[in-house]
């Protein structure tokens, strides 16, 4: 949807993908530094080193050089989970809603975003210092805001194609020959 929106302006979609992923690469480098700075207090050196490692990582360069959804998934997933952590430290509805919106964007990018939503819900239920009812309300609001758009998308897919995800569930035991 993001590339289609940029493409609607007349920009070549492949060129748009390059620029969008370049912006997400910068955002991810910055976000990693900010998260490390937040986690270590005032250790600017650690934050700068974390950003530098992200910047020169061959795998991160490769991921951000392709027209894939991984760059935005990484950005929105990290942002959402960091906002959940911030909400756990100092509860705030705007922060919780920003976390939910970010996790929603990650979930809409990739089905694997469901694990981010589940992680956030479990964190809110287990580590919040709020009363039991507030924990459940916070977790429910986050889950609804983060997952409802994907649910609508899956229902739409089911109605138009007869299949919600076009993915098959598979199980492969580790010791299978």
């Amino acid at each position: 949807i993001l590339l289609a929106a940029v493409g609607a302006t007349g920009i070549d979609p492949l060129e748009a993908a390059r620029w969008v992923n370049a912006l997400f690469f910068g955002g991810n480098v910055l976000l990693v530094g900010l998260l490390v700075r937040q986690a270590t207090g005032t250790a600017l050196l650690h934050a700068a080193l974390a950003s530098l490692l992200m910047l020169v990582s061959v795998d991160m360069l490769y991921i951000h050089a392709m027209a894939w959804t991984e760059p935005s998934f990484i950005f929105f997933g990290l942002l959402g989970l960091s906002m959940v952590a911030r909400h756990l430290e100092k509860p705030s509805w705007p922060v919780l809603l920003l976390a939910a919106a970010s996790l929603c964007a990650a979930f809409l990018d990739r089905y694997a975003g469901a694990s981010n939503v589940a992680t956030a819900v479990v964190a809110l239920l287990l580590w919040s210092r709020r009363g039991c009812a507030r924990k459940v309300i916070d977790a429910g609001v986050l889950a609804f805001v983060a997952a409802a758009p994907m649910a609508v998308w899956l229902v739409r897919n089911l109605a138009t194609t007869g299949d919600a995800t076009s993915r098959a569930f598979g199980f492969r035991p580790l010791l299978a020959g």
Side-chain angles (χ1 to χ4, degrees):
I1 292 172
L2 179 62
L3 292 179
V6 174
T9 65
I11 299 172
D12 175 50
L14 188 55
E15 188 67 23
R18 284 188 193 112
W19 282 102
V20 166
N21 282 355
L23 290 172
F24 275 117
F25 187 49
N28 285 331
V29 168
L30 180 64
L31 187 56
V32 164
L34 291 172
L35 293 176
V36 169
R37 174 111 193 239
Q38 181 182 355
T40 60
T42 59
L44 188 58
L45 177 64
H46 296 127
L49 182 59
S51 286
L52 179 64
L53 290 173
M54 178 78 169
L55 182 66
V56 300
S57 167
V58 173
D59 292 328
M60 286 295 125
L61 287 169
Y62 180 73
I63 286 169
H64 288 81
M66 299 294 171
W68 294 340
T69 57
E70 278 80 354
S72 58
F73 174 75
I74 292 167
F75 180 82
F76 290 122
L78 281 175
L79 181 63
L81 291 174
S82 70
M83 291 293 103
V84 169
R86 181 170 289 186
H87 177 76
L88 288 171
E89 290 173 6
K90 185 178 178 187
S92 162
W93 275 104
V95 171
L96 183 68
L97 293 175
L98 176 61
S102 296
L103 293 173
C104 176
F107 195 8
L108 288 171
D109 274 343
R110 309 209 33 95
Y111 292 132
S115 63
N116 290 339
V117 176
T119 299
V121 167
V122 169
L124 289 170
L125 292 173
L126 293 180
W127 296 313
S128 178
R129 295 182 206 122
R130 303 178 100 178
C132 190
R134 292 300 308 168
K135 288 180 183 185
V136 172
I137 290 170
D138 287 354
V141 166
L142 181 128
F144 179 78
V145 171
M150 179 56 83
V152 169
W153 183 254
L154 295 176
V155 168
R156 175 246 172 232
N157 288 349
L158 190 60
T160 58
T161 67
D163 189 2
T165 64
S166 73
R167 303 271 193 278
F169 181 76
F171 177 73
R172 294 172 186 83
L174 292 175
L175 302 176

